[in-house]
Amino acid sequence: EVQLVESGGDLVQPGGSLRLSCAASGFTFSDHYMDWVRQAPGKGLEWVGRIRNKANSYTTEYAASVKGRFTVSRDDSKNSLFLQMNSLKTEDTAVYYCARSMITVTPYSFDYWGQGTLVTVSS
Amino acid sequence: DIQMTQSPSSLSASVGDRVTITCRASQGITNYLAWFQQKPGKAPKSLIYAASSLQSGVSSKFSGSGSGTDFTLTISSLQPEDFATYYCQQYNSYPFTFGGGTKVEIK
């Protein structure tokens, strides 16, 4: 069974940093691209970023709203995905989801999502 | 960036109704369109990819169609468990973008 479990969400002050983790199980993590998607309270979904697999040099893509402040990384040996968030702003307050990308048909859509972790940026 | 526009933003329907939600892209995205279902307080669930392909384990009462800029999600016979918010998403180009959502409520 595919499982994605996020952790690390917390209350942080504006300008602060936070690192989110996503623990994956039930599939060959290293094969898949992985994504982060967020949802501000009462709002819709916003894609944050993607990291490709080793075969594609672990390259990354980001939304303009987080580029230069957030970094997506992964540790295939630990089946883990990370989101390093720096220079946090109040508008980064959201539930952050990790999502697995399919590897059967390109380009890759999402198939499984984690349960999310809440990040609150407030003074 | 590609803008995704869903309509309606909300709808009221009865159990057993056939429901159709539309999604329009601001430029052509071939068929690189996905649909997701989200219930209150829960993570999104993937329903459809490539505009019309059902994700594994998803009920066949859900169907998708379209290509280019215009897409639809249809629920053939609405059941109580289908009351939720539905989002479309393009993955043709970065940044991936979502529609604003369609909330399906009980009439």
Side-chain angles (χ1 to χ4, degrees):
Chain A
E1 178 193 7
V2 172
Q3 285 199 332
L4 299 169
V5 179
E6 300 92 338
S7 60
D10 205 348
L11 171 63
V12 61
Q13 291 189 339
S17 297
L18 203 60
R19 189 192 198 209
L20 305 184
S21 300
C22 172
S25 61
F27 64 100
T28 305
F29 178 75
S30 58
D31 287 346
H32 292 259
Y33 296 8
M34 297 294 296
D35 293 75
W36 288 98
V37 176
R38 68 184 180 182
Q39 186 169 36
K43 302 297 184 182
L45 300 170
E46 180 187 16
W47 175 77
V48 171
R50 164 172 278 188
I51 187 165
R52 297 179 179 87
N53 54 18
K54 182 178 181 180
N56 289 278
S57 306
Y58 298 126
T59 51
T60 54
E61 305 285 348
Y62 295 97
S65 59
V66 306
K67 194 169 186 178
R69 300 188 299 123
F70 289 12
T71 302
V72 181
S73 62
R74 63 192 295 164
D75 184 339
D76 290 348
S77 70
K78 296 182 179 179
N79 292 338
S80 294
L81 174 72
F82 305 102
L83 181 65
Q84 177 66 44
M85 304 184 293
N86 298 330
S87 303
L88 281 161
K89 306 175 181 180
T90 55
E91 53 263 41
D92 295 319
T93 294
V95 174
Y96 285 73
Y97 298 100
C98 64
R100 188 184 85 161
S101 292
M102 303 170 68
I103 55 171
T104 50
V105 180
T106 59
Y108 302 135
S109 180
F110 311 150
D111 54 5
Y112 288 92
W113 297 65
Q115 86 289 346
T117 188
L118 176 63
V119 173
T120 303
V121 184
S122 175
S123 55
Chain B
D1 299 1
I2 298 175
Q3 307 304 314
M4 304 301 293
T5 303
Q6 281 183 241
S7 61
S9 57
S10 66
L11 65 90
S12 294
S14 300
V15 172
D17 283 354
R18 180 183 179 90
V19 168
T20 298
I21 299 167
T22 65
C23 179
R24 174 165 288 177
S26 60
Q27 63 190 76
I29 58 171
T30 58
N31 69 331
Y32 302 139
L33 189 283
W35 289 97
F36 304 96
Q37 175 195 64
Q38 187 178 36
K39 298 179 180 179
K42 300 295 186 182
K45 175 185 177 181
S46 301
L47 297 177
I48 286 172
Y49 66 98
S52 61
S53 296
L54 226 55
Q55 287 283 359
S56 174
V58 172
S59 170
S60 58
K61 65 183 169 184
F62 294 99
S63 63
S65 65
S67 67
T69 60
D70 294 315
F71 302 87
T72 61
L73 172 70
T74 299
I75 309 172
S76 60
S77 177
L78 204 63
Q79 296 302 306
E81 63 269 21
D82 302 328
F83 291 94
T85 300
Y86 293 85
Y87 295 92
C88 63
Q89 181 228 6
Q90 69 81 18
Y91 55 101
N92 177 76
S93 62
Y94 298 104
F96 297 160
T97 46
F98 291 87
T102 296
K103 187 173 184 179
V104 177
E105 299 176 301
I106 301 173
K107 182 182 286 184

